[in-house]
């Protein structure tokens, strides 16, 4: 009988570790040495993969548990790793994150590991399956015994040496896979394991740096030399050459034999972006994006974990990549909301980047044309250094911006005022391209009866349903509920149904009809599903012929179209009166990005913003000083009113189909003695901004404190107590530390 118990973090929503007897064969092992190893354990009627966090001797456990009857212990089923999978800095940072976000460690580890590993799969070998010519194959090739086709192409390609099957397929096409299999059976090929992917093409030099870039790069070079943490904000307008600065710093990191992690927003991880990094660095660039298979993801993880010099380029969850030889972490578009995980383990990848940078003692570079107020506040507190790139590179000038006052006029067409339509017509006549931005997909945000009060509403969310005319459907954008577009009013059978408001689908349709001679492209989530489709759609635009683009924020980022000279923002007022205190910040960011699409080439750009609030302070600041002016004002207001980042927030939210269960939950939660604190303000329970979604009632309590320690001290005891409440089992509840969306 073993004298040890293993303490295991199991992926279940409970804030504690679970004790198991050692797995067979490991009774004598010191659990401290097993910390970070995965283990398969029985849990209720299920089997789960957990991670050993340590152990205790059974004698201690018994004395601790003397008061309560110790539960019957089960042995772990199998130890899955010979060596700890999670070690060093990553292991420490993940445990820190679980404590900071008050999220169960088992779920945090689960979220951090690639799917293959969290299921208990083996860490992939770093080699790649490949094939080589056998003697018989060489002979066959020499004697030209094969007809033209994929088989002969495969043999031909292998003349230069063995190749991974994946590369053959990339070079020859999908038929190469079956051909290779046939040739293997014929013994003309032999299979073998090849070393991990390495890019051996030489780096292509970038453009010579301009003086602003040079100053930034020299500063970063010194920081990289210092071998210590430093937080740096690279504050550079759109197109100022921030990426060139990242690339220069990363090249230095690679030259020192170290690794760089680059986080980009979901929407920016395009094949072009990847190509740019690969070509400019001539190094191994490992991409982590949603298109990868589980095996590929795990392989990237393993490759980074091996410490090989490389660049890991990925979206939010790439922040959990092991970096044993880290040299630099870059967060591009650091203000982007996709860095915040919206459910489950609600971490913020930018914040974790700073945490990991400190733990790894490497510089963290945050880049943005529209820095978050959080980062600007850190600059004010001198916790981030700021480097500025104030100018666009090359010929491009900042665009001219103008408001179009919508008051007292009816839109001429497609929701556009006549001045906007005239500008659009002139732009096309000059042979240039235009973009119409509307952050609302669908045909119309509302469908209503002309006779009675009926309007299409989602029965599960109490919100208006959006008309999608091409689908002949009404869709709820909150829960996905769908119904057929009615022919007549469902309440009074009146045949006239009116649309209210306007979405991208309608703008697109009306512009297409009005400008039959130019291509009108719609880019939103309904028209393009994946990055590849988006790439195909923009290929048309890339040719530079006159065209109109209509789209949502999908269009706002990352693209560089020199012939695009006009941007029309169809409706920008919604952010001015939002209850969300972050709305003006978000709007200034989005407008900057959209406006940044205009005039990237040598022709000047124009941005026209349609508004019914031309006197609003937001617009006055925006026209005078753009994002920087809006941000300065917002930051001052947040300081005055004590809103984040000048206070610390956490949001306890819950939802239930039954309103009584929800009420009972919040009553019980707030009655807990642990809920009392003199230094933490409590707001609520209040209905959530969306009080009902997908048939569930939703409510929340917002916690706010001037400083972090009292808030976290409260959560430290309160959250475990909530887990113990009977009333908590009847609702779905969650905690969001540093929330961005009020649920
Ligand atoms: P950002 O990341 O700030 O949007 P990029 O680094 O993508 O800017 O640069 C925008 C464009 O300007 C790219 O096409 C890039 O190749 C080019 N560029 C960057 N730096 C220079 C430079 N010093 N000289 C000439 N062109 C440059
Ligand atoms: Zn009606
Ligand atoms: Zn709905």
């Amino acid at each position: 009988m073993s004298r040890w118990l293993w303490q295991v973090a199991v992926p279940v929503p409970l804030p504690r570790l679970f004790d198991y007897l050692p797995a067979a064969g490991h009774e004598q092992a010191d659990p401290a040495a097993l910390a970070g190893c995965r283990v398969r354990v029985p849990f209720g009627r299920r089997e789960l993969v957990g991670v050993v966090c340590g152990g205790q001797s059974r004698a201690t456990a018994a004395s601790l548990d003397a008061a309560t009857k110790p539960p019957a212990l089960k042995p772990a089923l199998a130890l899955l790793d010979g060596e700890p999978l999670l070690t060093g800095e990553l292991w420490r940072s993940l445990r820190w994150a679980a404590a900071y976000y008050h999220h169960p460690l088992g779920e945090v580890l689960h979220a951090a590991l690639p799917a293959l590993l969290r299921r208990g799969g083996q860490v992939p070998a770093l080699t790649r399956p490949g094939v080589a010519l056998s003697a018989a194959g060489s002979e066959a090739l020499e004697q030209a015994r094969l007809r033209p086709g994929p088989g002969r192409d495969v043999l031909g390609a292998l003349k230069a040496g063995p190749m991974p099957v994946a590369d053959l397929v990339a070079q020859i096409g999908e038929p190469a896979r079956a051909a290779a299999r046939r040739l293997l059976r014929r013994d003309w090929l032999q299979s073998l394991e090849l070393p991990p992917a390495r890019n051996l093409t030489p780096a292509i030099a970038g453009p010579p740096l301009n003086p602003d870039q040079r100053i930034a790069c020299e500063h970063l070079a010194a920081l990289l030399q210092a071998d210590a943490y430093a937080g740096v904000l690279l504050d550079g307008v759109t197109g100022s050459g921030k990426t060139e600065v990242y690339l220069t710093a990363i090249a230095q990191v690679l030259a020192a034999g170290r690794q760089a992690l680059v986080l980009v927003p979901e929407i920016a991880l395009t094949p072009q972006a990847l190509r740019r990094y690969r070509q400019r660095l001539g190094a191994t660039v490992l991409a982590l994006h949603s298109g990868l298979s589980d095996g590929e993801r795990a392989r990237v993880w393993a490759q980074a974990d091996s410490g090989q010099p490389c660049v890991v380029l990925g979206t939010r969850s790439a922040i959990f990549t092991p970096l044993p030889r880290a040299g630099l972490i870059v967060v591009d578009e650091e203000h982007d909301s996709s860095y915040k995980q919206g459910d489950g383990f609600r971490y913020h990848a930018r914040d974790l980047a700073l945490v990991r940078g400190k733990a790894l003692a490497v510089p963290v570079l945050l880049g943005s044309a529209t820095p978050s107020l959080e980062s600007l506040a850190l600059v004010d507190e001198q916790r981030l250094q700021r480097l500025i790139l104030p100018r666009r590179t090359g010929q491009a000038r900042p665009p001219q911006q103008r408001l179009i006052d919508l008051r007292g006029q009816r839109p001429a067409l497609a929701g556009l005022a006549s001045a906007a339509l005239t500008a659009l017509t002139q732009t096309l006549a000059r042979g240039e391209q235009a973009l119409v931005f509307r952050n609302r997909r669908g045909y119309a945000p509302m469908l209503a009866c002309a006779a009675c009060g009926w309007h299409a509403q989602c029965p599960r969310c109490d919100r208006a349903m959006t008309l999608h005319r091409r689908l002949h459907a009404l869709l709820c954008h909150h829960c996905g509920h769908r119904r057929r577009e009615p022919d007549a009013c469902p309440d009074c059978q009146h045949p006239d149904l009116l649309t209210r408001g306007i979405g991208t689908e309608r703008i697109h349709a009306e512009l297409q009809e009005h400008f039959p001679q130019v291509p009108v492209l719609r880019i939103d989530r309904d028209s393009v599903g994946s990055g590849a489709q988006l790439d195909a759609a923009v290929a048309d635009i890339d040719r530079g012929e006159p065209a109109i683009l209509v789209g949502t924020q999908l269009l706002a980022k990352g693209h560089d179209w020199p012939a695009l000279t006009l941007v029309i923002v169809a409706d920008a007022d919604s952010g001015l009166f939002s209850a969300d205190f972050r709305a003006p910040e978000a709007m200034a960011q989005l407008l900057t990005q959209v406006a940044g699409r205009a005039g990237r080439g040598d022709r000047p750009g124009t941005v026209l913003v349609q508004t019914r609030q031309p006197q609003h302070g937001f617009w006055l600041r925006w026209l005078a000083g753009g994002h920087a002016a809006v941000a300065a004002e917002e930051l001052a207001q947040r300081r005055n009113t004590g809103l984040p980042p000048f206070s610390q927030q956490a949001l306890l939210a819950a939802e239930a189909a039954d309103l009584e269960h929800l009420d009972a939950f919040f009553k019980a939660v707030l009655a807990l003695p642990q809920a009392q604190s003199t230094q933490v303000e409590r707001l609520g329970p209040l209905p959530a901004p969306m009080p009902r979604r997908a048939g569930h009632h939703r409510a929340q309590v917002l916690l706010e404190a001037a400083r972090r320690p009292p808030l976290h001290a409260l959560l430290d005891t309160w959250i475990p107590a909530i887990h113990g409440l009977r009333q908590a089992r009847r609702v779905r509840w969650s905690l969001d530390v540093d929330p961005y969306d009020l649920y």
Side-chain angles (χ1 to χ4, degrees):
M1 174 83 95
S2 166
R3 56 194 192 88
W4 296 111
L5 290 181
W6 290 357
Q7 296 179 302
V8 179
V10 178
V12 293
L14 293 169
R16 44 171 292 221
L17 303 176
F18 293 85
D19 288 339
Y20 288 91
L21 295 170
H26 301 282
E27 290 82 358
Q28 305 313 322
D30 178 356
L34 298 178
C37 287
R38 290 169 305 154
V39 62
R40 197 180 295 281
V41 294
F43 195 88
R45 255 169 279 154
R46 293 179 294 166
E47 283 181 13
L48 296 174
V49 175
V51 176
V52 181
C53 293
Q56 53 181 330
S57 80
R58 297 188 67 179
T60 331
S63 69
L64 284 177
D65 276 340
T68 58
K69 195 167 152 334
L73 286 170
K74 293 184 185 169
L77 301 170
L79 188 65
L80 299 173
D81 296 309
E83 300 265 296
L85 181 71
L86 291 163
T87 56
E89 176 274 333
L90 182 59
W91 181 228
R92 286 193 303 277
S93 291
L94 290 172
R95 296 177 68 147
W96 180 91
Y100 179 83
Y101 289 104
H102 291 83
H103 199 78
L105 179 61
E107 290 198 330
V108 169
L109 301 178
H110 194 74
L113 285 173
L116 182 89
L117 300 182
R118 74 169 87 115
R119 282 199 306 267
Q122 284 306 300
V123 180
L126 284 185
T127 54
R128 294 175 302 162
V131 285
L133 286 179
S134 65
S138 305
E139 210 182 297
L141 189 65
E142 260 163 43
Q143 300 168 1
R145 297 220 304 262
L146 232 73
R147 273 176 284 119
R152 197 165 84 178
D153 294 345
V154 166
L155 291 182
L158 291 171
K159 213 157 76 175
M163 267 171 89
V165 178
D167 289 6
L168 277 176
V169 172
Q171 192 174 319
I172 296 167
E174 196 51 45
R177 199 183 300 277
R181 234 178 282 130
R182 277 196 305 276
L183 294 167
L184 275 169
R185 274 201 301 274
R186 236 167 139 171
D187 286 333
W188 285 8
L189 294 187
Q190 59 198 43
S191 57
L192 74 177
E193 291 295 314
L194 292 169
R198 252 170 234 266
N199 186 339
L200 296 174
T201 56
I204 297 171
L209 299 176
N210 65 34
D212 298 320
Q213 287 171 318
R214 214 160 42 233
I215 292 169
C217 288
E218 278 164 12
H219 189 90
L220 288 169
L223 293 179
L224 289 170
Q225 286 285 330
D227 232 348
Y229 166 76
V232 180
L233 175 66
L234 182 62
D235 181 352
V237 298
T238 317
S240 58
K242 293 184 292 296
T243 309
E244 287 303 322
V245 173
Y246 307 154
L247 289 166
T248 306
I250 293 168
Q252 184 181 345
V253 168
L254 292 168
R258 299 176 77 163
Q259 303 174 309
L261 171 66
V262 182
L263 299 184
V264 293
E266 254 142 42
I267 203 159
L269 189 48
T270 58
Q272 288 129 292
L274 198 55
R275 242 185 339 264
R276 183 171 177 193
Y277 275 83
R278 290 212 164 112
Q279 288 176 344
R280 287 277 285 99
L281 295 168
T284 305
V285 178
L286 306 168
L288 277 175
H289 53 80
S290 53
L292 296 184
S293 70
D294 287 354
E296 288 166 323
R297 253 173 197 283
R299 198 185 299 269
V300 169
W301 199 93
Q303 212 168 333
D305 196 36
S306 75
Q308 166 199 347
C310 63
V311 180
V312 177
L313 184 64
T315 52
R316 179 178 60 230
S317 65
I319 189 57
F320 302 122
T321 311
L323 298 166
R325 295 274 300 143
L328 173 69
I329 300 177
V330 176
V331 183
D332 188 25
E333 310 282 2
E334 61 88 22
H335 63 277
D336 196 274
S337 58
S338 75
Y339 288 128
K340 172 78 179 175
Q341 168 74 33
D343 53 19
F345 169 35
R346 293 168 157 82
Y347 63 94
H348 199 299
R350 182 233 296 137
D351 297 346
L352 287 182
L354 293 172
V355 169
R356 289 198 68 190
K358 275 177 210 157
L360 289 162
V362 302
V364 179
L365 180 56
L366 310 179
S368 178
T370 55
S372 63
L373 297 193
E374 281 72 15
S375 295
L376 291 173
L378 290 177
V379 169
D380 285 347
E381 292 167 23
Q382 302 189 338
R383 288 161 63 194
L384 285 182
Q385 311 173 25
R386 168 151 54 180
L387 299 170
I388 300 181
L389 301 180
R391 275 168 289 270
R392 285 184 168 193
T393 62
Q395 298 296 312
R397 298 277 134 258
Q400 293 289 326
Q401 314 218 28
R402 241 173 357 102
L403 299 183
I404 294 183
D405 186 353
L406 283 183
R407 288 173 305 178
Q409 62 169 314
R410 309 204 82 214
L413 163 87
L416 302 183
S418 57
L421 200 60
T422 308
L424 184 55
T425 311
Q426 289 168 349
T427 301
L428 297 171
R430 284 196 302 270
E432 296 165 0
Q433 299 171 340
L435 184 163
V436 179
F437 175 76
R438 170 80 171 112
N439 213 7
R440 190 74 203 238
R441 61 202 172 84
Y443 189 84
M446 192 182 273
L447 184 70
C449 172
C452 75
W454 178 86
H455 71 270
Q457 205 173 17
C458 174
R460 311 168 64 204
C461 300
D462 304 334
R463 288 288 168 103
M465 293 180 86
T466 302
L467 176 64
H468 287 248
R469 187 138 270 170
R470 298 240 298 241
L471 300 172
H472 303 292
L474 291 160
L475 290 184
C476 173
H477 285 187
H478 302 286
C479 73
H481 183 69
R482 176 174 181 151
R483 51 182 292 192
R484 227 177 59 80
E485 180 184 355
D487 301 322
C489 172
D491 277 4
C492 75
Q493 274 67 50
H494 195 279
D496 287 349
L497 295 176
L498 308 175
T499 59
R500 297 232 185 95
I502 188 159
T504 46
E505 184 188 336
R506 175 157 166 210
I507 296 177
H508 174 252
E510 294 188 1
L511 288 178
Q512 209 164 33
E513 197 177 302
H514 191 75
F515 295 105
Q517 72 284 12
V518 295
V520 183
L521 262 93
R522 177 161 66 102
I523 297 193
D524 58 30
R525 268 205 291 137
D526 301 322
S527 61
V528 284
S530 68
Q533 268 175 294
L534 183 62
D535 268 12
V538 302
D540 276 355
I541 305 298
D542 285 344
R543 278 198 294 277
E545 304 285 311
I548 306 174
L549 280 152
V550 179
T552 60
Q553 58 187 1
L554 260 196
L555 260 183
K557 290 173 201 168
H559 305 286
D560 200 351
W561 294 306
L564 200 147
T565 56
L566 175 68
V567 169
I568 300 172
V569 178
D571 173 10
D573 290 338
S574 52
L576 299 181
F577 302 101
S578 167
D580 178 1
F581 68 87
R582 294 184 201 270
E585 180 191 10
M587 195 160 115
Q589 286 164 353
L590 193 54
L591 282 168
T592 305
Q593 262 152 3
V594 176
R597 299 304 111 209
R600 306 259 297 181
D602 46 11
R603 282 168 284 192
T606 304
V607 178
L608 301 177
V609 179
Q610 304 197 129
T611 175
R612 293 185 186 281
Q613 307 290 333
Q615 301 303 324
H616 197 287
F618 178 92
W619 291 123
L620 301 181
R621 285 187 283 280
W622 172 257
L623 290 179
H627 175 269
V630 173
E633 170 66 18
E634 291 297 312
L635 205 56
Q637 280 192 21
R638 298 236 198 127
R639 193 191 303 271
N640 288 338
T641 46
L643 282 167
F646 303 102
S647 63
Q648 308 298 323
Q649 291 186 334
L651 185 75
L652 178 73
E655 61 175 63
D658 189 334
L659 199 52
E660 273 175 33
H661 291 163
L662 202 57
D663 289 342
F665 169 74
F666 280 109
K667 233 180 241 128
V669 159
L670 295 177
L672 285 167
Q674 293 91 335
Q676 319 311 322
S677 165
T678 51
Q679 294 179 66
V680 178
E681 296 259 8
R682 225 166 55 192
L683 204 71
L686 291 169
M690 251 195 91
R692 213 158 76 87
R693 187 163 82 188
H696 283 74
H697 299 278
R698 310 159 85 232
Q700 61 189 27
V701 172
L702 184 66
L703 302 168
E704 198 173 287
R707 292 177 323 110
R708 197 163 274 154
L711 175 62
H712 282 245
L714 174 96
L715 297 175
D716 282 341
T717 56
W718 195 35
I719 296 305
I722 296 175
H723 277 286
L725 286 174
R726 179 172 46 83
Q727 291 87 342
R729 279 177 230 142
R730 299 226 187 92
V731 303
R732 206 151 68 207
W733 67 276
S734 64
L735 178 75
D736 192 346
V737 174
D738 308 330
Y740 267 63
D741 288 317
L742 296 185
Y743 202 45

